[in-house]
């Protein structure tokens, strides 16, 4: 590979909740990297796409400053860092290319469990501890509430019991951490999941093409993960009902069965989740030999 060839860099979290699944997604998209155990940079072996392994908090800045072209990071971090960058550069922004359906969590307001909550105005004049000061400030402003924000980099959930805050705004997934600290989530500030982002500056056309190809592949892997190939046998006269049950299937392929003129084989690409309930409904509608197969790759 010549060093003249344009290359792009994609940043993912080095070690944490999003790391493994981000890397797997890129590998499934056909990217291979020359791994190096400690380094922050893995060279792309089969495509001119290199990997940067960094703290998740650094990913938005790398994108905003053009030091990498793509990044996978939680929406919570992306939005917070964009709001932070806008203090210095009001036009700072990131383009979200695709939500990735992992790293789901909510940024929530939580209060000591014995305190009641009915509306945001209650927080007026209170101290709220958070690692997300800009998102918290935006939420307070949206609700016309003036409160003090105490910015902490970690262990936000212990602030109320230490007496350094009256409430917190923190990420919640199962709620176990809040319960262990006698806190109760009362309202959602932001719903979040991991997403694929790019900086919003235009690249030279060759790199723009490469980026586009990569994004198509990542989205193809995403779609394939949600998509199932369903095969079944059905009475010819139940076809309309069966097609209506198949989740997210457009036009199923209908094939004749050699020995049975009243039954057909139906093959369908289901782009929405296929649950056991769907299979039971199909069976009740007269389907038999129902198979649900994973789809490995898709290119629309
Ligand atoms: O070192 P680096 O800065 O890269 O990592 P990090 O420690 O900042 O991030 P990490 O790996 O903890 O999380 C990365 C991203 O995962 C976050 O920015 C979110 O987008 C997403 N995510 C999903 C979460 C959670 N779920 C989550 N539960 N991030 C943090 N948590 C915390 C939560 O705040 C709580 O303290 O995990 C704890 C357990 O949550 P419960 O509700 O299940 O008890
Ligand atoms: Zn972090």
């Amino acid at each position: 590979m010549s060093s003249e060839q344009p290359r792009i860099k994609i940043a993912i979290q080095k070690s944490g909740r999003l790391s493994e699944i981000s890397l797997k997604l890129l590998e499934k998209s056909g990217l291979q990297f020359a791994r190096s155990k400690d380094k922050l940079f893995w060279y792309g072996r089969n495509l001119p796409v290199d990997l940067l392994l960094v703290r998740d908090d650094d990913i938005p800045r790398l994108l905003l400053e053009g030091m990498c072209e793509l990044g996978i990071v939680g929406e919570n971090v992306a939005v917070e860092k964009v709001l932070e960058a806008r203090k210095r550069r009001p036009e700072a922004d990131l383009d979200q290319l695709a939500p990735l359906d992992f790293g789901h969590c909510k940024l929530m307001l939580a209060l000591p469990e014995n305190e009641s909550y009915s509306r945001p105005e209650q927080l007026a004049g209170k101290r709220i501890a958070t690692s997300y000061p800009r998102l918290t400030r935006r939420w307070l402003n949206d609700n016309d509430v003036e409160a003090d924000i105490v910015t902490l980099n970690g262990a936000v959930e212990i602030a109320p019991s230490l007496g350094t805050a009256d409430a917190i705004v923190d990420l919640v997934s199962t709620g176990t951490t809040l319960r262990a600290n006698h806190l109760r989530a009362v309202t959602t500030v932001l719903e979040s999941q991991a997403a694929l982002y790019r900086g919003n500056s235009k690249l030279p056309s060759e790199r723009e093409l490469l980026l586009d190809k990569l994004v198509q592949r990542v989205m193809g892997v995403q779609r394939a993960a949600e998509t199932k190939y369903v095969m079944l046998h059905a009475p010819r006269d139940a076809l309309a009902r069966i097609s209506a049950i198949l989740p997210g299937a457009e036009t199923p392929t209908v094939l004749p069965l050699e020995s049975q003129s009243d039954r057909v084989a139906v093959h369908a690409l289901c782009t929405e989740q296929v649950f056991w309930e769907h299979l039971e409904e199909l069976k009740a509608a007269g389907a038999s030999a129902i198979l649900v197969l994973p789809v490995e790759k898709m290119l629309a």
Side-chain angles (χ1 to χ4, degrees), residues 13 16-17 55-57 74 76-77 103 105 171 173-177:
Q13 191 186 25
R17 287 166 205 268
R55 288 199 57 190
D56 66 345
D57 317 67
N76 52 313
V77 173
C105 55
L171 295 179
S173 58
T174 61
T176 313
T177 306

Side-chain angles (χ1 to χ4, degrees), residues 13-18 54-57 73-77 103-105 132 157 170-178 192-194:
Q13 191 186 25
K14 183 176 184 349
S15 130
R17 287 166 205 268
L18 309 180
V54 293
R55 288 199 57 190
D56 66 345
D57 317 67
V73 68
E75 291 170 319
N76 52 313
V77 173
H104 287 275
C105 55
Y132 294 87
E157 65 279 0
D170 201 8
L171 295 179
V172 181
S173 58
T174 61
T176 313
T177 306
L178 290 185
S192 179
Q193 61 181 301

Side-chain angles (χ1 to χ4, degrees), residues 86-276:
R86 282 189 187 157
K87 293 238 151 158
R88 281 166 276 120
R89 200 160 60 85
E91 73 284 7
D93 209 357
L94 295 177
D95 283 350
Q96 189 187 109
L97 301 172
L100 297 175
D101 202 22
F102 63 90
H104 287 275
C105 55
K106 288 180 180 175
L107 187 65
M108 299 192 81
L109 171 73
L111 303 181
E113 62 193 3
N114 53 2
E115 280 181 33
S116 62
Y117 176 85
S118 53
R119 53 209 167 86
E121 288 81 349
Q122 257 173 265
L123 296 163
K126 303 261 174 164
R127 295 159 306 159
I128 304 173
T130 186
S131 308
Y132 294 87
R134 279 128 199 131
L135 276 164
T136 302
R137 180 63 67 203
R138 186 173 78 174
W139 181 83
L140 288 169
N141 289 346
D142 288 349
N143 287 286
D144 261 337
V145 177
E146 284 220 23
D148 291 332
I149 295 176
V150 181
T151 304
L152 299 176
N153 284 327
V156 170
E157 65 279 0
I158 62 171
S161 60
L162 291 179
T164 50
D166 306 300
I168 68 169
V169 167
D170 201 8
L171 295 179
V172 181
S173 58
T174 61
T176 313
T177 306
L178 290 185
R179 276 192 297 280
N181 288 279
H182 305 291
L183 298 169
R184 184 169 59 94
V186 292
T187 191
T188 300
V189 172
L190 182 85
E191 288 212 30
S192 179
Q193 61 181 301
L196 180 65
Y197 286 94
R198 63 169 289 174
N200 66 351
S201 53
K202 186 118 182 73
L203 301 170
S205 62
E206 259 179 304
R207 286 206 297 166
E208 203 56 66
L209 281 176
L210 182 57
L211 188 133
D212 215 45
K213 174 167 155 179
L214 188 58
V215 171
Q216 290 307 323
R217 284 196 186 186
V218 171
M219 288 165 71
V221 173
Q222 268 303 101
R223 270 201 307 278
E226 288 158 12
T227 300
K228 296 282 177 279
Y229 196 70
V230 177
M231 303 197 291
L232 53 85
H233 291 177
R236 197 180 278 281
D237 57 13
L239 266 177
R241 183 154 169 229
I242 289 204
S243 302
I245 299 167
L246 289 165
E250 279 186 4
T251 22
T253 308
V254 179
L255 305 160
L257 285 172
E258 270 275 292
S259 52
Q260 301 174 40
S261 59
D262 57 336
R263 287 179 77 77
V264 286
V266 178
H267 291 193
L269 208 54
C270 291
T271 56
E272 289 161 27
Q273 266 198 330
V274 181
F275 294 107
W276 279 107

